[in-house]
Amino acid sequence: MELKERNTNFIDRNKLYFLLDRKTPSTLEIDAVLNEALKLKGLTLQDVAVLLCAEGKENTDKIMQAAKWVKQEIYGKRLVLFAPIYTGNVCCNNCTYCSFRKDNRLIERKILTMDEIRQETSSLLRQGHKRVLLICGENSKNDTDYMCEAIKTVYSVKENGRDYVRRINVELAPMEVEDFSRLHDEKIGTYVCFQETYDPELYTRFHPAGTPKADYEYRLTVMDRAMLGGINDVGIGALFGLGDYRFEVLAMIEHANHLERCFGVGPHTVSVPRLEPAIGAPDSENIPMKVSDEDFKKLVAIIRLALPYTGMILSTRESASMRNELINYGISQISAGSKTNPGAYSDTNQSSGSQFSLSDERSLEEMISTFIDGGYIPSLCTGCYRNGRVGKDFMDLAKPGLIKKYCLPNAIFTFEEYLNDFASASTKEKGKRLIKQMLEDYDQKQLLPNIEKNLTEIDKGQRDIYF
Ligand code: SAM
Ligand code: SF4
């Protein structure tokens, strides 16, 4: 179906606010919704509204416990790690909350050359990264030609004759179907774009007229164009702090339902960025509708219950302690050792402006060490994507729980590689102990001989093994 024939106005603002305009739900109502969530089939909009309107610590605790169970049931103790590469901070938009906005004179601007992109990639590879997110401001110099060249460049870099980026995701301004086809041809993984706020009235306030981003509907329909252009996996998100967080969560569920209806598959990931202070960005200094830590934890748990099979991403906008906690309740992917100013990985004195201030400055090694202590297997896996288990195929496999069969072993393979190639002696020692423990507890015993054979191959020097 062509885009123009489809209902593009799938966010009914009044309907969503109406669902939230209700009396506080009873314990009975909340328990009924949580019982539904434990069936791992997701939740209706009405059910999600019940949880969003629940009050009191006791109810929040119940929601968190249910989310913890769902997270463990579907993902187990596995956490995907990636790093963003900011290729430029020049932007033609004027989003009132972002440092990259064109009227901000307080930051130094830069667009990376292909040589600089190569150096950034090398720096990340030397730390042990394998998954990269390319990201930049919107600008005629960062057009599709530039991005295609950037993708080729990143994929072409090889370090130590052995290490290379195995998957590139991109977070770019909305574009046309033909542009998406070109990105697809360059073998990108997920296309990510945040709606910022799904409330069209608020959207107008934060995205001044006269800029490309002022067009609410063009942004709202970007995932439809991406899928029509052949992109299998898309990542949605809202910037929390601009509007009522409860409205944004309902709207994201509506967005997921819309994609499922039109393409037979919902988003591959949901991101939950929370507004952070940014230089020269007035709405980041006085956050319009600040989301408290307690509400933030609750909304992550509710999304996990509503969209049990959708990956959830948390960036370095959040503190180390918040990130350590939220991996238990819903987050399945996390950025590590991030820099948000172009060129900052390879040039530590880089003076180009960053997008917002970072709240978690831990290196990849420090994060991996902490996750091991919490019993988590850090995963740099790209197996599903490279074996064609993407889009609807991925969801068809994930839903009956089959994906567990591939994901844990694949995560262990990439972890074993990391421990052999990059980890300090103490991380290596406790990491190997964790792998041993995981395999002892693994319930797919028939796969163990193959897994152990692959681990031996990795220890002998073979790389990039996956099921
Ligand atoms: N320019 C593209 C766009 O706007 O979609 C992609 C890159 S933009 C740098 C990525 C995201 O950063 C935006 O979608 C927005 O949600 C988020 N962002 C902007 N300012 C922020 C701030 N002060 N704190 C946290 N996130 C912010
Ligand atoms: Fe530009 Fe994106 Fe920042 Fe808006 S959020 S100013 S579009 S980089």
Side-chain angles (χ1 to χ4, degrees):
M1 200 193 295
E2 288 301 315
L3 190 58
K4 58 182 177 305
E5 295 161 10
R6 203 175 299 128
N7 174 19
T8 51
N9 190 11
F10 53 87
I11 297 296
D12 181 340
R13 179 180 186 275
N14 293 340
K15 179 180 98 178
L16 299 187
Y17 279 120
F18 180 74
L19 281 171
L20 295 169
D21 185 17
R22 50 157 297 150
K23 63 177 189 331
T24 311
S26 66
T27 308
L28 223 61
E29 249 180 305
I30 295 166
D31 288 349
V33 172
L34 293 179
N35 281 335
E36 204 46 43
L38 298 184
K39 295 180 187 159
L40 304 179
K41 291 191 167 25
L43 294 173
T44 63
L45 269 190
Q46 284 73 12
D47 286 345
V48 175
V50 167
L51 299 184
L52 288 167
C53 293
E55 284 179 4
K57 183 171 176 329
E58 207 175 306
N59 286 325
T60 306
D61 286 349
K62 270 197 228 171
I63 295 171
M64 302 297 288
Q65 285 317 310
K68 191 173 187 174
W69 184 86
V70 169
K71 168 86 202 300
Q72 171 61 29
E73 198 57 22
I74 293 176
Y75 295 87
K77 287 262 188 177
R78 195 174 47 83
L79 187 66
V80 173
L81 299 174
F82 70 95
I85 294 183
Y86 277 73
T87 62
N89 59 6
V90 179
C91 192
C92 61
N93 292 308
N94 237 334
C95 311
T96 56
Y97 45 81
C98 179
S99 268
F100 292 177
R101 57 198 286 270
K102 73 170 176 198
D103 287 352
N104 182 13
R105 305 270 175 266
L106 302 177
I107 63 164
E108 210 172 290
R109 306 286 175 160
K110 184 172 180 70
I111 292 180
L112 299 185
T113 62
M114 292 305 139
D115 249 356
E116 288 168 326
I117 290 178
R118 219 167 275 125
Q119 285 163 27
E120 291 289 270
T121 309
S122 290
S123 280
L124 289 176
L125 287 170
R126 284 198 296 270
Q127 292 170 40
H129 278 290
K130 300 280 186 279
R131 301 171 59 110
V132 157
L133 174 75
L134 287 183
I135 180 166
C136 60
E138 183 170 1
N139 181 271
S140 57
K141 291 195 180 115
N142 282 129
D143 61 7
T144 310
D145 286 342
Y146 173 93
M147 286 322 302
C148 287
E149 206 187 335
I151 293 164
K152 278 194 185 85
T153 303
V154 172
Y155 274 138
S156 73
V157 179
K158 208 157 192 183
E159 275 294 308
N160 305 316
R162 158 200 85 193
D163 301 315
Y164 46 90
V165 169
R166 297 178 188 169
R167 170 161 165 152
I168 300 175
N169 297 330
V170 299
E171 184 171 344
L172 303 171
M175 56 191 93
E176 293 297 321
V177 174
E178 303 77 63
D179 300 302
F180 283 117
S181 302
R182 291 184 58 197
L183 292 181
H184 178 250
D185 290 346
E186 297 300 337
K187 304 212 177 330
I188 64 154
T190 305
Y191 169 73
V192 178
C193 185
F194 308 150
Q195 184 60 29
E196 320 298 14
T197 171
Y198 282 88
D199 180 329
E201 291 175 17
L202 285 180
Y203 189 92
T204 308
R205 190 176 129 200
F206 300 119
H207 305 102
T211 59
K213 194 159 169 178
D215 189 339
Y216 170 88
E217 195 171 309
Y218 190 66
R219 197 160 179 100
L220 191 63
T221 51
V222 66
M223 297 310 176
D224 298 61
R225 288 192 299 283
M227 286 193 160
L228 290 172
I231 306 285
N232 296 298
D233 294 330
V234 298
I236 63 172
L239 183 55
F240 287 97
L242 297 179
D244 180 342
Y245 79 87
R246 300 172 315 153
F247 176 88
E248 306 298 354
V249 171
L250 282 184
M252 285 202 289
I253 309 296
E254 268 299 52
H255 198 171
N257 291 342
H258 164 78
L259 295 174
E260 179 107 37
R261 262 193 315 272
C262 296
F263 299 97
V265 60
H268 189 67
T269 57
V270 169
S271 294
V272 287
R274 198 159 50 148
L275 208 42
E276 274 291 301
I279 295 167
D283 277 322
S284 76
E285 281 147 24
N286 288 309
I287 295 178
M289 290 189 87
K290 203 170 167 61
V291 180
S292 70
D293 284 354
E294 287 317 302
D295 285 342
F296 189 63
K297 290 177 199 171
K298 183 174 158 195
L299 79 85
V300 165
I302 294 174
I303 295 172
R304 176 48 61 234
L305 297 173
L307 301 171
Y309 295 96
T310 305
M312 210 187 319
I313 304 179
L314 196 63
S315 74
T316 33
R317 292 169 179 91
E318 297 299 333
S319 66
S321 66
M322 180 62 86
R323 298 171 101 213
N324 291 347
E325 189 174 350
L326 284 182
I327 58 177
N328 298 312
Y329 298 102
I331 297 302
S332 57
Q333 294 191 26
I334 214 154
S335 51
S338 303
K339 304 264 187 255
T340 66
N341 44 335
Y345 294 119
S346 39
D347 175 3
T348 41
N349 295 320
Q350 183 56 245
S351 56
S352 70
S354 61
Q355 197 198 1
F356 47 80
S357 50
L358 297 177
S359 298
D360 183 358
E361 307 214 46
R362 287 176 295 174
S363 66
L364 180 62
E365 167 78 14
E366 283 170 298
M367 285 181 70
I368 285 184
S369 169
T370 308
F371 295 141
I372 297 171
D373 294 340
Y376 274 89
I377 293 273
S379 172
L380 300 157
C381 175
T382 52
C384 282
Y385 160 69
R386 286 150 84 219
N387 264 335
R389 293 191 295 268
V390 292
K392 190 166 168 359
D393 291 344
F394 174 85
M395 285 299 172
D396 287 349
L397 277 170
K399 287 194 175 163
L402 268 179
I403 211 79
K404 247 186 171 177
K405 207 165 100 183
Y406 300 109
C407 292
L408 186 68
N410 282 345
I412 288 177
F413 300 153
T414 61
F415 185 37
E416 180 84 357
E417 286 184 2
Y418 177 85
L419 293 173
N420 288 348
D421 297 342
F422 301 98
S424 66
S426 63
T427 303
K428 186 169 174 175
E429 203 257 332
K430 63 183 179 179
K432 297 241 174 180
R433 229 182 309 127
L434 179 62
I435 292 178
K436 195 162 170 278
Q437 182 65 51
M438 282 276 173
L439 292 180
E440 274 168 25
D441 299 343
Y442 191 45
D443 56 5
Q444 313 271 335
K445 296 286 179 220
Q446 77 285 4
L447 293 177
L448 278 179
N450 241 341
I451 295 175
E452 269 150 14
K453 184 173 139 271
N454 284 345
L455 285 174
T456 310
E457 292 302 319
I458 292 168
D459 292 344
K460 282 194 220 147
Q462 200 173 322
R463 291 291 170 267
D464 206 7
I465 300 179
Y466 51 90
F467 286 161

